[in-house]
Amino acid sequence: MTIISGPAEFNAEDLYVDLRPMVDHSLFLKCEGFNFAGSIKLKAAAAMVEAAERDGILKPGSVLVESSSGNLGAALSIIAASKGYGFLCVTDARCNLSARRFIEAMGGRVHIIAEPAATGGLLGARISHVRALCAADERYVWLNQYTNAGNWQAHYRTTAPGIAHHFPHLDVLFIGAGTTGTLMGCARYFREHRPAVKVVAVDSVGSVTFGGEPGRRMIPGLGAGVRPALLDEDFVDEVIHVEEADTVRACHRLARRGFLFGGSTGTVVSGATNWLAHHRTPRLTAVAIAPDLGERYLDTIYQTNWLHALYGEDVLGPDPVAPDLESA
């Protein structure tokens, strides 16, 4: 029996899915979405809030404000609610409606930025808005997930050691790159404790994180319009970029086997599958981190009209269910 008094106290750490039947390669998926926030961002949110409290930055009457594409905002909203802080999430139209409603259900507020900045796109505009809020009202406290060391330290202390414990013979680890908190925490840990493990970062096409050209990105989570301050490429062995249409296909492929994951997870699985297809090393032990679940994407990635409008009617290929129905 598990009894908790706060929502951040519960997080399923030891759940892995064997993806071999779905992707034709040996790949274990570490599921990080089974907590009250629904994503891996609960770890970073809790660590950053705790550090701010220890440092006296957060105090009664404070209002947390953060730029987020959805998942960190949801995580901060439940922590703010449980601790009695206000919360304001600054996001843009790519943030899923369900994530916005989740934040509001927790008593938080959401500001949506519509116009991108000349430099930095929508993310740059969101950060500028956060800075303006903090300058205008001293009650606002910006934890700044993009520069806060607590972001990567949370994964150095928990995520990476957990993987190392369960996979003592790990060869390669696939990690999505957003703020790069998860990536940097795990990469630093394995460089220090298991340097033979290859760390492969998975990014979205259109992201500038690793020096790519900026482009349209409609699926929130991974990728960035501004290079993350936390990123140190010396700890990354390889980088893979994934097209959003491939993210969509990976999500639907998993869903057709009963696993509903989010866009960030689809990107990581797609990148990992392609990498493994080109590195057919016998008995390779590979793990990928699944940052989120799929419920918040039901109106986007799993909604036919949204998919067809953005990626075309053939994005998923032939419907594997339709022939069975027609022959019944």
Side-chain angles (χ1 to χ4, degrees):
M1 178 187 297
T2 300
I3 299 175
I4 64 173
S5 57
E9 296 173 20
F10 173 78
N11 187 52
E13 284 279 9
D14 301 330
L15 178 62
Y16 293 80
V17 177
D18 182 355
L19 293 184
R20 182 187 286 275
M22 288 162 269
V23 301
D24 298 324
H25 301 284
S26 178
L27 179 63
F28 297 96
L29 188 64
K30 185 180 190 328
C31 303
E32 287 281 353
F34 290 97
N35 55 52
F36 284 93
S39 82
I40 197 171
K41 290 292 188 178
L42 182 63
K43 293 178 177 178
M48 292 189 294
V49 168
E50 289 168 5
E53 290 176 329
R54 287 196 305 269
D55 295 341
I57 298 171
L58 274 173
K59 54 195 70 174
S62 291
V63 178
L64 286 164
V65 60
E66 187 61 67
S67 162
S68 170
S69 60
N71 281 338
L72 184 77
L76 282 174
S77 72
I78 68 170
I79 293 176
S82 68
K83 290 177 173 287
Y85 300 120
F87 176 61
L88 170 59
C89 180
V90 178
T91 189
D92 57 65
R94 293 173 299 183
C95 178
N96 295 323
L97 178 59
S98 58
R100 298 181 220 166
R101 287 176 172 169
F102 183 100
I103 293 167
E104 291 169 345
M106 295 293 156
R109 293 178 292 144
V110 178
H111 284 189
I112 299 174
I113 302 301
E115 295 297 326
T119 302
L122 287 167
L123 176 56
R126 280 162 35 187
I127 291 173
S128 294
H129 186 67
V130 171
R131 288 191 172 121
L133 288 170
C134 292
D137 191 333
E138 63 181 11
R139 292 176 302 167
Y140 285 115
V141 175
W142 181 25
L143 298 177
N144 194 353
Q145 64 167 325
Y146 309 105
T147 64
N148 195 315
N151 189 343
W152 69 263
Q153 288 169 355
H155 302 288
Y156 181 92
R157 293 194 301 264
T158 62
T159 309
I163 295 170
H165 172 73
H166 290 292
F167 295 90
H169 303 293
L170 180 66
D171 295 301
V172 58
L173 176 62
F174 299 95
I175 310 170
T179 64
T180 68
T182 306
L183 175 63
M184 285 295 95
C186 292
R188 288 175 184 272
Y189 179 90
F190 279 101
R191 180 66 59 85
E192 180 178 339
H193 298 279
R194 301 264 294 279
V197 173
K198 180 184 287 289
V199 174
V200 179
V202 184
D203 198 11
S204 300
V205 170
S207 167
V208 305
T209 297
F210 294 96
E213 290 295 319
R216 184 188 79 164
R217 291 180 297 108
M218 300 305 297
I219 300 174
L222 300 187
V226 177
R227 178 183 169 87
L230 295 176
L231 176 63
D232 185 341
E233 291 186 60
D234 288 342
F235 289 93
V236 179
D237 296 299
E238 197 170 337
V239 179
I240 299 172
H241 286 89
V242 175
E243 296 277 0
E244 286 195 333
D246 291 326
T247 292
V248 168
R249 285 188 279 268
C251 286
H252 280 259
R253 189 176 188 180
L254 293 170
R256 286 165 183 161
R257 293 297 188 98
F259 294 100
L260 191 71
F261 285 107
S264 296
T265 299
T267 302
V268 173
V269 169
S270 177
T273 302
N274 289 336
W275 190 94
L276 291 168
H278 287 89
H279 297 76
R280 292 186 175 275
T281 304
R283 294 182 292 278
L284 190 74
T285 300
V287 170
I289 297 177
D292 55 0
L293 300 178
E295 287 86 349
R296 289 182 188 144
Y297 297 82
L298 291 175
D299 293 329
T300 54
I301 288 175
Y302 297 103
Q303 210 281 326
T304 302
N305 292 338
W306 188 89
L307 286 181
H308 289 178
L310 290 175
Y311 307 107
E313 295 188 3
D314 297 328
V315 63
L316 297 179
D319 185 348
V321 177
D324 295 335
L325 293 177
E326 291 172 1
S327 61

